Amino acid sequence: MELIVNDLVVNYHNVAALRGISFTASSGSSITLIGSNGAGKSTTLRSISGLVKPSSGEILLDGERVDHIEADQLLARGIAHVPEGRRVFKDLTVLENLMLGAYIYKDKQRISQDLESVFSHFGKLKERIGQQARTLSGGEQQMLSIGRALMSRPKILLLDEPSLGLAPLIVQEISLILQEIHRSGVTVVLVEQNADLALKTVERGYVLENGKITLDGSAQSLANNEHVKKAYLGI
């Protein structure tokens, strides 16, 4: 499924959060939006998933305009959003959290297959299937949040700061799993402040600054760009 964002503008109380951004995630690709806090990265994902309505511009899925469609309908069309901060249901078990991700389906065999697929990526979740989510580590909660999104069989997976607050070894593990998910055919749109991680995880990147895209290119070309090195990679 191809995602096209065309001249997207989002205003919060007459303050521009996005100032006419455009980018494409072709079917089966992986891209990242990098930038500092307040650049508009999370707003972009929330607009794509239907949580925020744009002031103008277009969001297209396989050529069909969808920026007027509600979030639950977009989930059924194949867009899953992993929000910043994990946001698991802490009083529910691992299994109950995952089952919530499959609420749009009734086929028990399909759901069982999807559970096994999630566990193939996140073996630790299978070991903790009956535990309350509040008892999991931060990294395990992030895995649960991603796993819950995968239960909807997304064609496009939106991820907002999946590395936030996690230990380096866990961050590396999640990066490798995201690459596995991408190789399975899912289009990945990754938002990250950790630009080094992001550019090592995806194929193409966009630099978002003050609500506008200022640079774009292959992940490798951005990693070699002098501005990106100084502003985002600490080089």
Side-chain angles (χ1 to χ4, degrees):
M1 177 179 286
E2 183 179 59
L3 168 69
I4 297 176
V5 173
N6 184 32
D7 201 22
L8 193 68
V9 174
V10 174
N11 295 315
Y12 290 133
H13 307 294
N14 297 319
V15 176
L18 296 176
R19 305 168 184 267
I21 68 168
S22 300
F23 64 87
T24 297
S26 57
S27 182
S29 67
S30 59
I31 70 167
T32 187
L33 302 174
I34 61 174
S36 60
N37 273 334
K41 305 186 304 298
S42 293
T43 297
T44 302
L45 293 194
R46 289 170 63 84
S47 299
I48 294 168
S49 66
L51 297 175
V52 170
K53 297 304 178 188
S55 304
S56 62
E58 298 177 322
I59 300 170
L60 302 136
L61 293 180
D62 284 343
E64 179 185 359
R65 188 169 176 179
V66 296
D67 44 88
H68 61 289
I69 294 177
E70 296 302 320
D72 59 335
Q73 297 176 45
L74 287 171
L75 178 66
R77 292 185 183 217
I79 294 182
H81 186 173
V82 180
E84 181 182 354
R86 299 182 275 279
R87 300 191 190 181
V88 297
F89 295 94
K90 294 187 178 181
D91 292 330
L92 300 183
T93 66
V94 167
L95 178 60
E96 288 167 337
N97 269 273
L98 292 173
M99 293 300 288
L100 284 173
Y103 82 94
I104 59 176
Y105 300 115
K106 305 300 181 186
D107 185 334
K108 291 183 179 180
Q109 183 177 358
R110 174 175 180 158
I111 292 171
S112 178
Q113 291 172 349
D114 291 342
L115 276 174
E116 287 307 312
S117 177
V118 168
F119 292 147
S120 73
H121 293 300
F122 304 111
K124 292 177 183 178
L125 296 183
K126 189 170 187 177
E127 297 171 8
R128 292 157 175 72
I129 193 169
Q131 290 182 218
Q132 284 187 317
R134 68 170 61 254
T135 68
L136 303 180
S137 69
E140 290 164 349
Q141 288 185 15
Q142 184 64 75
M143 293 175 186
L144 180 56
S145 184
I146 297 170
R148 185 180 60 199
L150 292 176
M151 288 296 294
S152 68
R153 290 198 181 182
K155 297 174 182 175
I156 297 176
L157 183 63
L158 311 175
L159 299 116
D160 195 349
E161 303 284 4
S163 74
L164 189 65
L166 301 182
L169 284 176
I170 300 299
V171 169
Q172 182 63 27
E173 183 178 357
I174 288 176
S175 173
L176 292 173
I177 290 168
L178 292 182
Q179 291 176 61
E180 288 178 9
I181 292 168
H182 168 237
R183 285 194 294 270
S184 74
V186 177
T187 302
V188 171
V189 181
L190 172 65
V191 153
E192 264 294 345
Q193 280 194 70
N194 186 338
D196 181 57
L197 167 73
L199 294 174
K200 288 177 178 176
T201 302
V202 305
E203 301 164 329
R204 187 172 183 82
Y206 296 83
V207 178
L208 195 56
E209 297 177 328
N210 297 316
K212 299 187 75 172
I213 290 173
T214 56
L215 283 171
D216 70 272
S218 70
Q220 186 61 55
S221 69
L222 289 182
N224 293 330
N225 180 276
E226 290 302 318
H227 173 67
V228 173
K229 285 181 180 180
K230 292 177 181 178
Y232 302 108
L233 299 179
I235 299 174

